Amino acid sequence: MITLEIQPLDGDRFEVPLESDSLVIGRSAESDVSISDRSLSRRHARLYSEDGELYVEDLDSRHGTNVNGRRISEPTQVRLGDSIGLAGSLVTLRDPEAATAPPRAPDPIAQSIFRSAETILGEARHLGADDATADRAELQRWAERLRIVNEVHEVLAQSAGTDELLDLILDRVFLHMRPQHGAIFLKEGDDLVCARHRTRPGACEEFPESRSLVSEVIDRGQAAVVTDARTDVRFVDAQSMHIAGMRTLVAAPLLTPEGALGMIVLCSDSLDHQFSETDLDMLVPLASAAALRIRNVKLAEEAAERRRYEREVALARRIQEALLPAEMPSLPGYRVYGANTPSLGVSGDYFQVVGRPQAEECVVLLADVSGKGIAASLITAYLDALCCCILDSGLSPGESFKDISRRLHLRTPTDRFATSFLGFLDLPTGGLRFASAGHDPAILLRKDGEVEWLERTGIPLGLFPDMDYETSEVCLEPGDTLVLYSDGLTEAANPEEEEFGRERLAEVCRENRSQPPETIAASIDAALETFVEGEPYLDDRTVVILSRLEE
C-alpha cells in the first residue's frame, strides 16, 4: 500500500495510507486529507486510481499543484518517490514496506542519490522548526549554506542581462563547489541548449548532454548526485559522458513556479573529487535562486523587447496615417467619409479619395493587402507609391489595375496580393467608371433603398505578371450613396463564429440612407459592436462612403 508522506507548510510531518481509489486533499476538514495550510484551497487536489495507475489532478486551486516541481494543468500520472507540491505543503509518495525491508548490500546504483528538488527546498524552509530534529552542527551547516545563497542573491541582482547572469552563476558555483566542469542548460521551446559552460584549465572543453540526466533532473524535477557514471545503470548508454571522461556529477533543476527552466550540472573526471549529498543540498538552493533570477531577467528582456516593438508599431502607424487622407476633399454636390481601423496597430488596408478640380472628377480607391501587421503595411506603402504614379497617367481604371498588378507581382513575394476597388467619378453627371480587383462587391445604395452590388471585374492584384481588368460603368443619381469596405467588416464574427456578412452591412446602410456618410459609418460601427459581443476583430476595417446630394 502506498503511503502519503505529508510535510505541511507549518507543522510536523505526518503520514496517511492511500486506502481508497479517490482521495481529496485540501484545507477543509471535509477533505479526505486535511492539511493545516492557509495557502491551500479548501479542496485543492485529488489523487485517484485509473486502470491500475495513480493520477493527481488540480481542483482549480488558487495556488496550483506541482508534480516534481512542474505545475500541472491536467490529470498527471504519479509514481512512488514523486513529490506533489500543494501551495506551500509537500506530499511525497512512499512505500512503507521498502522503508522496513532489511538492508541490502550496496550496489552501484545505490551509490547515486536522486531526490526531489522541492523536497530539499522544503527541508531548508522547515529546518529549525523543531530543535529536537537538528543539532547545533547541522544548524551551523545550514546557516553557512543560507549565507552563501544570500550572497548569490546579492551578486546575481547586479547582473544586467541573461548572458552576464549565466556567467555570474558559474562564477559562484565554481567558487563554492570547485568542480572541474560546469554547464547551464536552458529550455528553448522543445529544445534544450547548453547556454553556458566552463572548464578548469586542462579539462575537456566539450560538455556532453545526457538524455538520462535530462529526464531525471528536468522532466521529473529531481536533484542528482552520481558518484560514478560508469557504474550507474542509468548512464550505461551515455556514450557522450563516457567519451568526455565524466565520472562524478551533481545536478539540480532550475525550478520556478511555472516549472523547470533547465538545469545546472557540475562534474569531475576524477573520483578523487566525488560530489556528495552535502553538495546536493548546496546546489539546489543555489539553482533555485539562479532560476528565479533568470526568469526575472528574461521577463524584463521580453518586456523591453515588447516596448521596443510597440514603439516601432506606433511609428509605423504614424507613417501609415500620413499616407491616408488627412481630411476628405470638398466635392461640389457630394459628401465623403473615410476611415481605417487596424487590428494590429498597423493596417494592411489603404484608401484614397482625391478630387481633380480641373477635370471635374474624383478618384476613389480602397485596397486590402493580404495578411496583417507590419508586413502588410509595408506592401500597403508600396501600393501607395504605385498608385500615385499611375493614377495620373490618364489610363482607365482597368488599365491602371493592369499596370499596378504587374509591378506589384514583380516586387513582392508570390504569396502576397491585394484586392482593390478603383473608381473615377464624373462629378457633374455622377457617372462612375470602376474596376474591382477581386474585392468584395461595393454597395451602390439607391435613393429608394434598392441595393446594387458592384461586382468584381478581375482577380486580385499581384497574383500574376500580366492580367487584364475590365472597366464597368454605373451612375450615381442625386440621393444615391456608394459604400466601399474591406472584408474586416463583413468577416467580423460573434462568439458563435457567425460572420456579420454583406447582407447585414447593406441593411444598416439602407436603414440610414438618408443620413450623412459619417452617420452611416457610425451606425455600421454600432451594429458591428452589438453583433460581435466583445469578440476581437481579426482583420483591419476600412470604409469609404460617398453620397450624392439631392438637387
Side-chain angles (χ1 to χ4, degrees), residues 395-426:
L395 299 175
S396 69
E399 292 169 332
S400 297
F401 269 172
K402 180 175 183 177
D403 200 356
I404 291 171
S405 181
R406 178 179 61 82
R407 295 171 186 264
L408 195 63
H409 178 80
L410 289 174
R411 299 297 178 88
T412 57
T414 55
D415 61 342
R416 294 291 180 172
F417 58 88
T419 67
S420 185
F421 180 97
L422 173 62
F424 294 168
L425 177 65
D426 184 81

Side-chain angles (χ1 to χ4, degrees), residues 125-409:
R125 287 195 296 267
H126 295 291
L127 186 70
D130 184 357
D131 288 341
T133 65
D135 59 25
R136 183 177 181 82
E138 185 181 4
L139 290 174
Q140 287 178 338
R141 286 194 298 272
W142 277 104
E144 176 62 13
R145 291 168 196 163
L146 291 175
R147 184 192 66 77
I148 294 173
V149 171
N150 183 62
E151 174 195 323
V152 170
H153 270 293
E154 293 178 352
V155 171
L156 298 187
Q158 303 170 11
S159 63
T162 301
D163 291 343
E164 180 185 356
L165 174 61
L166 298 179
D167 286 332
L168 284 173
I169 293 170
L170 289 178
D171 286 345
R172 294 296 102 183
V173 296
F174 267 73
L175 174 64
H176 294 294
M177 305 185 70
R178 302 187 179 280
Q180 284 186 304
H181 315 267
I184 298 173
F185 292 88
L186 296 179
K187 293 198 296 187
E188 293 186 1
D190 294 331
D191 298 325
L192 185 70
V193 301
C194 182
R196 274 292 188 278
H197 77 273
R198 184 176 299 177
T199 61
R200 292 194 180 277
C204 174
E205 301 247 340
E206 294 296 324
F207 201 101
E209 174 191 334
S210 165
R211 293 309 307 171
S212 300
L213 194 64
V214 170
S215 175
E216 294 291 340
V217 176
I218 297 180
D219 298 342
R220 293 175 57 80
Q222 302 268 31
V225 172
V226 178
T227 54
D228 191 347
R230 294 185 183 179
T231 61
D232 192 316
V233 296
R234 292 181 181 88
F235 306 102
V236 68
D237 295 323
Q239 295 300 319
S240 60
M241 293 180 64
H242 301 325
I243 292 172
M246 305 302 179
R247 297 295 300 272
T248 178
L249 65 86
V250 59
L254 297 167
L255 286 181
T256 71
E258 295 79 24
L261 299 176
M263 66 179 179
I264 182 167
V265 185
L266 309 177
C267 62
S268 172
D269 53 18
S270 171
L271 294 182
D272 294 336
H273 182 187
Q274 281 193 337
F275 292 102
S276 66
E277 191 167 4
T278 300
D279 296 309
L280 192 69
D281 292 336
M282 173 68 75
L283 186 60
V284 168
L286 290 180
S288 177
L292 292 176
R293 184 59 185 162
I294 290 172
R295 183 191 66 167
N296 292 341
V297 168
K298 282 185 173 291
L299 289 175
E301 290 175 342
E302 289 171 1
E305 178 64 19
R306 186 163 55 250
R307 288 193 296 271
R308 183 191 66 80
Y309 174 77
E310 290 171 352
R311 288 194 298 269
E312 290 183 355
V313 169
L315 176 60
R317 181 58 184 168
R318 290 197 297 271
I319 294 172
Q320 188 174 53
E321 287 175 342
L323 301 178
L324 300 175
E327 58 183 23
M328 292 295 101
S330 177
L331 305 176
Y334 295 84
R335 294 189 68 170
V336 187
Y337 174 86
N340 163 254
T341 305
S343 64
L344 294 176
V346 289
S347 174
D349 289 358
Y350 169 75
F351 74 93
Q352 285 291 343
V353 181
V354 181
R356 291 172 170 172
Q358 68 277 13
E360 295 186 301
E361 187 177 60
C362 171
V363 176
V364 56
L365 169 71
L366 191 150
D368 182 358
V369 173
S370 62
K372 297 180 286 294
I374 290 180
S377 72
L378 291 174
I379 297 178
T380 298
Y382 180 56
L383 189 61
D384 172 75
L386 288 179
C387 293
C388 289
C389 295
I390 293 171
L391 294 184
D392 288 331
S393 62
L395 299 175
S396 69
E399 292 169 332
S400 297
F401 269 172
K402 180 175 183 177
D403 200 356
I404 291 171
S405 181
R406 178 179 61 82
R407 295 171 186 264
L408 195 63
H409 178 80

